[in-house]
Structure formats: C-alpha cells, structure tokens
Amino acid sequence: MCGIIGFTGYLNSAEVLLQGLSELEYRGYDSAGIACLRDGKVEIIKEVGKVSSLHAKVPADFTSSCGIGHTRWATHGGVTEVNAHPHRYGKVTLIHNGIIENYHELAEELAKGGRFPVSETDTEIAALLLDSLYTGDAYAAIKEACNHLEGAYGFCIMFDDQPEVIYCIRKGSPLVATHTDEGSVIASDMVALLRYSKDYFVLPEFHIAKMTKDAIIVTDFEGNIVNPEIMTVTWDTTAAQKNGYKHFMAKEIHEQPEALRRTIMPRIVKHAEGSELGGLSLPDFTADNIPDSLFKDVSRIIITACGTAMHAGMMGKILFERLLRKPVTVDIASEFRYEDPILDENTLVITVSQSGETADTLAALRLARENGARTLSIVNVKGSSIARESDYVFYTHAGPEIAVASTKAYTAQLSAFYMIAFRFAYVLGKITAKECSDYMEGLLDVIPSIEEVLKQEDDVEAISHHLVKAENLFFIGRSLDYALTWEGSIKLKEITYIHSEAYAAGELKHGTLSLITDGTPVIALATQSHVLSKTLSNVKEVRARGAFVICVTTKDAVIEPTLCDFRIDIPRTDDIFAPFSAAVILQMIAYHTASLRGLDVDQPRNLAKSVTVE
Ligand code: AGP
C-alpha cells in the first residue's frame, strides 16, 4: 500500500529517493518523507501531500550517500506530517510498508519501559521496539523484533552507529533489490529500480538484507548467506512512463492489443497450414509449467480475488461453467478468508491479482493451500508474493500497470481465463482439439476488434460529456454482460467519484427501478444475443421512466433507434468474446468522464494501486 525505497552508494541518496518515490507514488500518496545520513547524523524531511510537495521542501544542497524514503497510504493515524514516515526513535530510523496488527499491545509494553511514541502510527511502535532490542547487533535486534511483530511488514532500517548501512526485512509486503556500481537500491516495486538495473531479486520473507555501498548481503535467520534468484524485467523505463499520453490510464487502455498479444501468443503453437487440427494449436501451457493433471479430478472451482481481478473471475465463472460443466464460485477474497470455506484436494482455487501482492488475496491463497486445495494464480507481476506461493502461476504479460484503475491487466486476466477454460475443457474431453483451436482463433480476433474499438474514442468522449454532471448511474446487463457491468461500475466510481451500481438487468423491477427518474443515466450492455430481447425489454422499462440510455451492443444488433439516447457498437464477434471490446468502451467512458471532471485520473483520492494491507 505504501511506496518505500532505500539507497546507499555513490550517488546523492536524496535525489535517488525523491526520484524513486515519484515512481512509487501510485502506491499511496497521502504524505512522503526521506531520512538521509549527513555529516554522521540522520536528518529527516517529511511533508503531507504528494512527493512533489516533499521535493519542494528538500534544500538543493541536501546531499547524502545513504538514505530511506517513503510515500504513504494512511492506515493507522491521520494524514499529518508527524504520522508521515520515516519514523525515528533512539538509534533507529525506519520506513514501513504494511500493518502491525498488535501495535497497541506492543505500545503498552514499551511504555512500561519508558518508551512513548509521538505519532499515531503502528510503524513508530516498530521503531520503539527495535530500539529497545538493539545493543549493536542489528541481526539479533531484527530477529527478536520479528518474534514480537504480528501483521505484514517491509522495513528499511538505519542504525545510528552503522553509517551508510541499511538493513531490510519483510513479511507479506513486497521488497525487491538490486546492486550496481552506483550502489545498492531496494524498493517495494521494480518500477523504482528500473533506472539502475533490469536485474533484481526478491528479498525472501524472514531474511535480512544488509545493504552497503558495495554489496547486498542476504542472510536467513540462522545467519546463512543466501543468494536469491536474480530475475530480469523485460520492461524498460519508457514502458513505465506515459509515452505521450496525458495519463497512464490512457496509455494503458491503448496498450491492450499489445498486452493481449504478449499474453496470448506465448501460449499458441501455430499448426502447419491445412492441418486437420485447424490453424492454431490448443493453448499450450508448457512454458507455464502448468500440467494437464492440474485439471483432472477437480470437483469444484473457486475463484477468489479483489476488485477488478474479482470481476475477471466473474467472467471466468460463466466460461468455466459453460465449457466444463463443473460448479464454480467466485468469492471476494476478504470474505473467503474469514468464512471457513469448504476445501479439499479436489478443489481448484484460482487467485487473480495484477500486483500479486494484495493482502486479502494472498491470505485467501494461503488458506486454500493450508486446506489442501490445488492453487493456480493469474498474476501480472513476476516473482510477486501470490505468484511465488501458488502451486502454479499463469502470468499475464500486460507490462507495468501504473494507473490505479486497472485496464490492460483486466483484459489480460480475461484472456487468461479464456485460455485456461479452453485447455481445461479439452483435457476433460468437453471439446475437441479442432474446437479448441477454433476458440483460440476467436480469442486472437479479439485483438483487432479492440484496435477497432479504440478508433471510436472520440465518439465515446463526446458521449462522456453527458455524464459529467451525473450523481448516480446504473450499469445493466445479462450473462457475460452482467459480469462486465461490475467492471464498468468500479471503473467509473473509482476515477469519476460518481456513484454507480452494476445490476442484473432482469433484477431492476424487483426494487431498484424505483431509483430511475427523469435523466438517470443507464449504461445498458447488450452484446449477448441469447438474452438480447430480454435486455432490450429492461431498457424499455428504464426508458419509460425517463432514463438517459447509452447502449453498448454489437454492430448487427437490431434495436429500435428511439430506444437509446446513444448506441455504441462493438465489432461483430462470437458472443463469448464480446466482453473484451465492450470492456474497452466502458474504460474509455470512465476515463473521459473523469478527465472532463478535471480529476486526478491516475491517482484517485483515497485509493492505491496495490492494497497490500487488510
Ligand atoms: C481496479 O481498478 C482497482 N484498482 C482495484 O479494484 C484492484 O483491482 C484490486 O485492488 C485488486 O488488485 P490486484 O489485482 O493487484 O490484486
């Protein structure tokens, strides 16, 4: 939830930290701060607001070779300068990403020893604890502190009597690091390391990294030196920049054809022309190391995730039940983890997460594993916690998604569900190889369809002008369209701050229709031909009560022109693939409405890109 970065080396650490915090700001931006070692003393500068406000407060001559920096998404304590990180007590200065769940009990114990915090944060209690345990041996103090701390944490720690050294430890929250000739860098996210190196490693949980100018030494709690696997990102720095778009979200909406190409193509083997198996192979999961045995003897499937990732799962449920004829449930991860779910070795639990670090989803995964379920995760960030803790991982290759509102990761997650469903159905003998190949052709055709839809952006932008002043809005649909209304609704809410609801079109008359008054905007999704007439009847119901209707449908759908105020057509495709193009329309509606309202599209209020705390 917060962005943290540490540096020690041959560059000006203040510059390294401020630059890194700017790149990490999407993870949280209530307040920010840096602590740098200068002339033998640790100096701290903190500021409420965005990193730019902190930057303005740092004097030009504030140079240093070692420091830690933090951009905050408040969990404990208000948004104040005192509560901003870094926190310092005695000889200890630290920054933290995560939540210390037992900080009240710890504070009471520490108070008995005369140690009292000045802030309202859980993080400062960790500084008090470490200082109470530190007698010169950082390893011993950190290990002992971990025995007392409950919750999730990623810490970067400086001890006054160990100049130019930073110690790091994590549990649950992410920390990635790299060492180059310029020094040692650690951060909560790879995007802050890219300018120094594409090679990085993930700090294993309960391992201590000691960062000096000339090396990063990782040891386990028994003192054994460990060499974590070095991974290489395929991104480059420009990929994480805006490439000329006004917002990251706009860039990422337009990156969807490429993101889908990168996610689908590695799973396709083209057959020789004229092959009786059709032009394309089955989805091939060899490179993913996902065996067909994973799909055998599965009695039920549970898909669990949060937010947009959960909405992708809602689409996966419909696909799986249609093709596999097996029971599928979609659970919100924060509910799943506390409801004592029924799990066994024949349950396949699929977790979905763009960041791979969402705390509730990670906890749901761990619960599934503890109960013997098979686990497969769909993740966009290589080496992330959820990826590392799953039995099997299906990586989407959407590239870095910086905007808080997920777009390309969502459609990439959809493609993952489609390919898994096709492979799964083939393994179960529900479809033939040729049928599977035809499905894959259809999936690949989604890419040019989305390219077509993106050309309609000006039309969508024009329609968005009619929504700028809306206060309440409804998305309605049936079947796959209903699953998509959930995604359309969260996209609109989270960046325009307009209240909206996703509703099964057939359910409106059971109560919610009373909310439809003259001019109420309704976005009707009508891409599924088997329920088109029913959906159009529901559109007539809202129309009759004065609703302002935007209908997202397919080019060949026959709809009375007077039924909608605006009609947006997506390219003709097999109904099963319609959600991809329709999703892009809804993303653009949300994006342009938010832009027209003059809002911070990439970093909407109160939100963060990765919710790594409960
Ligand atoms: C989506 O636009 C939101 N930013 C949010 O719902 C997000 O999908 C959710 O927090 C899950 O994140 P994850 O995919 O990284 O686990």
Side-chain angles (χ1 to χ4, degrees):
M1 189 71 79
C2 302
I4 66 177
I5 182 168
F7 175 79
T8 182
Y10 300 93
L11 303 174
N12 175 8
S13 67
E15 280 177 19
V16 171
L17 300 177
L18 291 168
Q19 177 67 48
L21 291 178
S22 299
E23 284 148 355
L24 291 165
E25 193 165 35
Y26 68 91
R27 296 177 61 86
Y29 32 88
D30 293 316
S31 56
I34 59 173
C36 292
L37 179 68
R38 301 183 77 234
D39 306 327
K41 281 184 58 215
V42 174
E43 293 185 34
I44 296 178
I45 300 177
K46 309 198 271 192
E47 183 62 285
V48 171
K50 295 200 167 182
V51 173
S52 53
S53 308
L54 171 68
H55 204 153
K57 200 171 178 182
V58 176
D61 64 350
F62 191 85
T63 57
S64 160
S65 62
C66 177
I68 54 180
H70 184 276
T71 179
R72 183 174 182 236
W73 186 78
T75 53
H76 291 75
V79 179
T80 63
E81 187 176 327
V82 170
N83 288 338
H85 302 207
H87 287 284
R88 177 175 171 76
Y89 192 93
K91 293 182 176 176
V92 174
T93 306
L94 59 72
I95 51 176
H96 168 225
N97 175 25
I99 280 189
I100 306 302
E101 294 174 355
N102 62 332
Y103 80 103
H104 275 308
E105 298 86 330
L106 291 172
E108 286 168 7
E109 278 307 304
L110 290 159
K112 291 173 188 167
R115 283 181 166 81
F116 301 94
V118 296
S119 77
E120 305 163 300
T121 68
D122 55 338
T123 302
E124 191 187 5
I125 299 306
L128 270 65
L129 174 65
L130 266 168
D131 185 66
S132 73
L133 298 169
Y134 183 62
T135 56
D137 180 343
Y139 290 98
I142 292 169
K143 278 165 51 180
E144 182 56 28
C146 289
N147 292 331
H148 296 273
L149 295 169
E150 293 170 17
Y153 47 83
F155 288 116
C156 294
I157 308 158
M158 295 161 72
F159 295 93
D160 285 0
D161 57 354
Q162 299 199 40
E164 301 193 328
V165 177
I166 299 172
Y167 289 88
C168 307
I169 177 85
R170 62 177 282 265
K171 175 195 166 211
S173 299
L175 276 176
V176 291
T178 191
H179 178 76
T180 70
D181 295 343
E182 295 170 310
S184 301
V185 200
I186 194 162
S188 34
D189 184 310
M190 189 54 212
V191 73
L193 306 186
L194 269 175
R195 64 180 57 249
Y196 306 103
S197 173
K198 291 190 177 184
D199 297 332
Y200 71 102
F201 67 85
V202 176
L203 179 61
E205 287 191 319
F206 298 117
H207 283 61
I208 296 170
K210 179 179 180 180
M211 289 170 52
T212 65
K213 288 183 170 210
D214 302 312
I216 302 178
I217 300 162
V218 177
T219 53
D220 62 20
F221 273 9
E222 286 66 48
N224 305 308
I225 290 181
V226 168
N227 295 305
E229 177 195 357
I230 299 297
M231 290 185 272
T232 302
V233 289
T234 53
W235 317 337
D236 56 31
T237 307
T238 51
Q241 303 310 321
K242 297 177 188 171
N243 283 358
Y245 287 93
K246 186 179 175 189
H247 298 106
F248 279 114
M249 186 176 175
K251 166 174 167 277
E252 290 152 11
I253 287 173
H254 284 262
E255 282 179 338
Q256 290 184 96
E258 185 50 31
L260 284 166
R261 206 170 280 119
R262 283 201 305 267
T263 300
I264 297 169
M265 294 314 291
R267 280 95 180 195
I268 281 185
V269 174
K270 283 190 180 297
H271 283 152
E273 281 304 309
S275 158
E276 75 283 358
L277 290 178
L280 294 179
S281 73
L282 316 175
D284 181 305
F285 295 167
T286 311
D288 304 291
N289 297 315
I290 299 174
D292 283 348
S293 58
L294 174 65
F295 305 127
K296 291 182 177 154
D297 306 320
V298 170
S299 57
R300 65 194 286 257
I301 299 160
I302 296 173
I303 301 169
T304 183
C306 301
T308 286
M310 189 267 286
H311 301 156
M314 291 175 70
M315 208 69 79
K317 166 187 164 69
I318 296 173
L319 277 172
F320 283 172
E321 290 191 337
R322 275 192 196 170
L323 290 174
L324 311 179
R325 307 311 297 158
K326 286 186 177 295
V328 183
T329 53
V330 178
D331 279 322
I332 296 170
S334 55
E335 292 296 306
F336 176 86
R337 63 183 291 197
Y338 293 114
E339 281 311 308
D340 191 15
I342 301 160
L343 301 166
D344 63 25
E345 68 281 359
N346 295 327
T347 308
L348 172 60
V349 173
I350 300 176
T351 49
V352 192
S353 176
Q354 188 284 130
S355 64
E357 300 297 345
T358 297
D360 286 321
T361 310
L362 179 58
L365 167 64
R366 288 172 174 168
L367 179 64
R369 293 202 61 160
E370 284 159 16
N371 287 275
R374 312 176 196 191
T375 58
L376 167 66
S377 64
I378 298 172
V379 176
N380 194 46
V381 177
K382 193 158 184 284
S384 55
S385 301
I386 290 170
R388 288 200 316 283
E389 297 193 25
S390 300
D391 296 324
Y392 301 100
V393 191
F394 186 109
Y395 280 114
T396 52
H397 301 302
E401 187 177 70
I402 307 301
V404 165
S406 184
T407 50
K408 61 177 182 174
Y410 171 71
T411 45
Q413 288 160 357
L414 291 187
S415 73
F417 274 112
Y418 280 64
M419 285 188 275
I420 292 166
F422 299 154
R423 182 85 204 184
F424 204 149
Y426 170 73
V427 167
L428 296 182
K430 299 291 184 184
I431 59 176
T432 65
K434 175 67 172 64
E435 286 166 329
C436 198
S437 172
D438 292 344
Y439 273 128
M440 289 306 287
E441 292 274 7
L443 183 60
L444 267 186
D445 287 345
V446 156
I447 296 170
S449 293
I450 287 178
E451 286 165 343
E452 277 307 300
V453 163
L454 290 170
K455 292 173 187 167
Q456 296 173 246
E457 184 160 18
D458 290 347
D459 298 340
V460 175
E461 199 265 348
I463 292 170
S464 303
H465 282 271
H466 296 272
L467 301 177
V468 176
K469 297 195 181 320
E471 291 178 359
N472 295 288
L473 186 149
F474 293 87
F475 289 83
I476 64 172
R478 291 172 179 256
S479 182
L480 290 169
D481 283 335
Y482 171 55
L484 186 56
T485 61
W486 283 67
E487 180 54 17
S489 179
I490 197 173
K491 271 310 78 67
L492 189 90
K493 281 184 286 195
E494 67 178 328
I495 63 174
T496 70
Y497 313 152
I498 295 171
H499 172 257
S500 73
E501 278 189 71
Y503 237 84
E507 189 62 8
L508 277 170
K509 54 188 173 295
H510 299 288
T512 304
L513 198 57
S514 65
L515 294 180
I516 305 296
T517 58
D518 193 38
T520 302
V522 173
I523 297 178
L525 301 183
T527 71
Q528 300 300 301
S529 45
H530 72 294
V531 286
L532 178 62
S533 61
K534 299 297 180 190
T535 303
L536 296 180
S537 298
N538 303 132
V539 174
K540 284 179 186 145
E541 286 164 9
V542 295
R543 194 96 175 113
R545 282 128 182 114
F548 171 81
V549 178
I550 298 166
C551 186
V552 180
T553 185
T554 52
K555 275 194 171 47
D556 56 352
V558 177
I559 299 176
E560 294 163 44
T562 58
L563 193 59
C564 315
D565 293 278
F566 285 95
R567 169 179 174 159
I568 305 173
D569 289 336
I570 62 171
R572 182 64 230 151
T573 175
D574 184 311
D575 286 0
I576 197 173
F577 298 112
F580 287 90
S581 297
V584 175
I585 296 282
L586 301 187
Q587 292 164 358
M588 293 195 290
I589 288 175
Y591 172 76
H592 285 291
T593 304
S595 298
L596 290 168
R597 286 166 68 100
L599 298 171
D600 188 340
V601 172
D602 287 333
Q603 296 178 356
R605 69 187 179 203
N606 305 341
L607 300 179
K609 182 59 181 174
S610 177
V611 186
T612 56
V613 293
E614 283 200 47

